[in-house]
Amino acid sequence: MRGYSVGVYDMTDPVAARRAAIAAEKERLARARERRSREPAGANGFAQRKWRWLGVNGGEAVEAVLEMLRDIVEVSALTADQRDTLTRAVAGTPHREALLPAVRAGLTALKPEDVLGHLRALWAAEVRWLNAPGSERCRILCSTAPGLELVSTRSRAVSGGPAFSLFATAATRGAIPVPNAVLAQVLPWAPLSVLDDLVDHGGLMAEDEPWQARDGNEALYLRARLAPKSVDPHEAERLGWHSMLRRRAFLADETIVRQEPEDVWDLLYDVVRDLQLPSLDALDAALPRAQQIELRDIRSGAFVGQWDGDTVRDEGLWKLMAALWRPTAPVDPRRSDFYALVALNRAYDLLRSGDLEGARRQVDSFVRKRTNGPSLPIGLMDEAYTIAAYLAAVTSTDVENDRAAREQLALAETYAQRAAANGDRVAERNLAHVRTWKGTTKNKRGEMANPFLELGLDHGTQGWDRHCRDLFRQYEHEGDQAAQARLNRAEGRIDDAERHEAGYDVFFQVPLDRARYELPDAVPRRLVPPLEPMARRTALTSGADLESIRALAAVELLDDFRSTAPHLDRHGPTR
């Protein structure tokens, strides 16, 4: 192109753009001066008066027009009459009525970037051959900071064709949306970064389905940005969309490889699945607002053991809720399955810690007769009856007389019978132990307590001897000889049982099935963040892309070319 051009610069930086435009203008003026110095003479006063009648005022303006005419006069698409009109204009005799239609026809045949260059030159020379709307759009296209021009109150109402609308969007980084009327026309060719600008500002929605106008990975990328639920795992793999894949793996209860730095899925796993409570604050900071509020409600509810129904029904939260809650009074197991599990675990924990009275009060909430309220799962009731039977049998040795002891053992037998009613072999063996104790005189019964429970261990725990050594050293340091004696007796009973053919079956076993005490290891649905659209991956629109859109918008301005030139009088401005 031989016409004026400011070159390609990044319009996203108004300061840099203005400096580049000034430099380009200085370069254009220097070339014009050099050209005039080589040419024999510019248009004389008589010729300039002729051009004034076509809205071309002054030598600089005449030179800009002549340079454009020389560029388009050889265009093959011109008719003979149009070429003759342009040739005569170059020679100094422009035709007022025929020139502008011929110029428009010639410009239409040029490349978009050449059209932009000529329109810039005409605008700089104050040649106004466009109608009023076209002149306003041309002013914006030729601005060194079009983004600032467009966001002004007056210019926001400026409208144009598809390319100009897209230019307005690109120059303002999506602040001015593409009108719906032309959106379908620009979607196939708009730079992906401009579409991302629109997505970021809400100017492009899922219902627009822009992916229908793009191919391959670009279509998939737009779906991930606007309709993430439509992307399947294989497509997410293609995109390398790791956050979606990690979310899916968490929901599917699959193993998640830790990241560095840790993300919300690592923290959810740590807090909810592994109960690493020191990580609660980090999880709170990583969660979106809705899930953050849910987590805070869980934490505040743990002070009194009160949560809303939806939270209690989310089994994935039970482990965390139970870990945060430290009840100091018996828990009513009939409030829900969650409370039943907490109550059963509390009774067992109190039993292992040696608080037999606290365990009795808690297990009474299971076994006492009720006339209303929901029934509890059979397995939990069997465990509650087993604890109640054990407590009744063990505490029978503390009563004042043999009659009271037998009443306690009779109660233990009743509870043990209920626990064994469903055919559990361990429960049946416990029932046999209670009946044996009941049928044996007090002086010959021996010890009824399970030595593992006395040591604070689960029945049959491996490594119990190491635990005993640690406890012995602790009691020795504290000078508690009575505790050392109890420890030695329990250790001796376990040693004897290991040499016995029946093994640990010689003890009353609590619990019947340890798995019944476990809280569900499920996914916490109410804390899982929703699937968010994939984050933007494109950089800001480049200067080259912006210039390309600007050139296409310049071609659209040819529709606003005047058919007759504006008239300049000798002294006045264009009218």
Side-chain angles (χ1 to χ4, degrees), residues 440-566:
T440 305
T441 60
K442 182 176 181 180
N443 295 333
K444 296 181 180 180
R445 282 181 194 141
E447 296 196 51
M448 301 180 187
N450 185 310
F452 287 101
L453 297 180
E454 289 185 303
L455 295 172
L457 300 174
D458 288 332
H459 177 82
T461 298
Q462 299 295 315
W464 60 269
D465 50 347
R466 183 169 58 254
H467 178 73
C468 287
R469 288 193 294 271
D470 293 339
L471 277 179
F472 190 88
R473 283 193 292 268
Q474 176 185 334
Y475 295 150
E476 186 176 36
H477 177 72
E478 296 171 354
D480 191 342
Q481 295 180 352
Q484 285 178 302
R486 289 195 301 273
L487 177 63
N488 287 333
R489 287 197 299 272
E491 189 174 6
R493 293 179 64 205
I494 296 175
D495 278 331
D496 291 341
E498 288 182 339
R499 291 190 294 269
H500 195 281
E501 182 180 352
Y504 299 150
D505 290 348
V506 299
F507 306 130
F508 188 107
Q509 182 175 331
V510 181
L512 302 177
D513 183 354
R514 191 67 179 88
R516 292 172 178 166
Y517 290 71
E518 299 295 333
L519 287 104
D521 197 16
V523 175
R525 302 287 172 174
R526 290 177 65 81
L527 282 185
V528 173
L531 178 60
E532 297 289 342
M534 189 172 72
R536 175 174 181 158
R537 291 184 174 180
T538 60
L540 295 178
T541 302
S542 68
D545 283 340
L546 193 63
E547 284 295 291
S548 176
I549 301 170
R550 192 199 305 259
L552 294 173
V555 173
E556 291 178 347
L557 290 181
L558 298 181
D559 293 336
D560 297 306
F561 224 75
R562 299 177 63 142
S563 58
T564 58

Side-chain angles (χ1 to χ4, degrees), residues 11 61 103 116 156 165 201 262 364 406 424 440-441 475 525 540 554:
M11 293 303 297
V103 170
L116 175 62
R156 283 184 70 91
S165 297
H201 284 80
E262 58 193 6
D364 278 350
R406 288 189 176 278
D424 186 280
T440 305
T441 60
Y475 295 150
R525 302 287 172 174
L540 295 178

Side-chain angles (χ1 to χ4, degrees), residues 50-56 85 88 93-101 129 562-568 575:
K50 290 182 179 181
W51 280 110
R52 178 181 286 275
W53 284 99
L54 283 96
V56 182
T85 298
R88 285 164 46 196
T93 56
H95 190 284
R96 176 173 172 78
E97 302 298 331
L99 180 61
L100 266 62
W129 283 354
R562 299 177 63 142
S563 58
T564 58
H567 177 237
L568 296 179
R575 72 171 188 270

Side-chain angles (χ1 to χ4, degrees), residues 53-128:
W53 284 99
L54 283 96
V56 182
N57 187 22
E60 288 284 340
V62 172
E63 287 300 329
V65 170
L66 290 176
E67 187 167 351
M68 176 187 64
L69 295 178
R70 295 186 191 104
D71 198 25
I72 65 177
V73 70
E74 299 299 329
V75 169
S76 59
L78 294 173
T79 65
D81 289 343
Q82 289 170 337
R83 186 172 287 106
D84 180 64
T85 298
L86 295 175
T87 301
R88 285 164 46 196
V90 172
T93 56
H95 190 284
R96 176 173 172 78
E97 302 298 331
L99 180 61
L100 266 62
V103 170
R104 181 184 182 281
L107 288 174
T108 303
L110 297 182
K111 295 178 180 179
E113 57 268 23
D114 294 338
V115 174
L116 175 62
H118 287 308
L119 291 183
R120 275 174 164 161
L122 294 180
W123 185 263
E126 299 185 358
V127 178
R128 302 296 185 254

Side-chain angles (χ1 to χ4, degrees), residues 367-384:
V367 301
R368 67 172 176 264
K369 292 183 178 181
R370 289 176 178 262
T371 57
N372 54 18
S375 60
L376 295 172
I378 293 175
L380 295 191
M381 287 305 301
D382 287 349
E383 296 294 341

Side-chain angles (χ1 to χ4, degrees), residues 29 44 69 134 170 220 270 276 280 303 317 343 384 386 416 506 523 532 535 552-553 560:
L29 293 173
N44 56 32
L69 295 178
L220 179 56
D270 290 345
Q276 296 181 19
L280 269 169
F303 287 107
L317 297 174
T386 298
V506 299
V523 175
E532 297 289 342
L552 294 173
D560 297 306

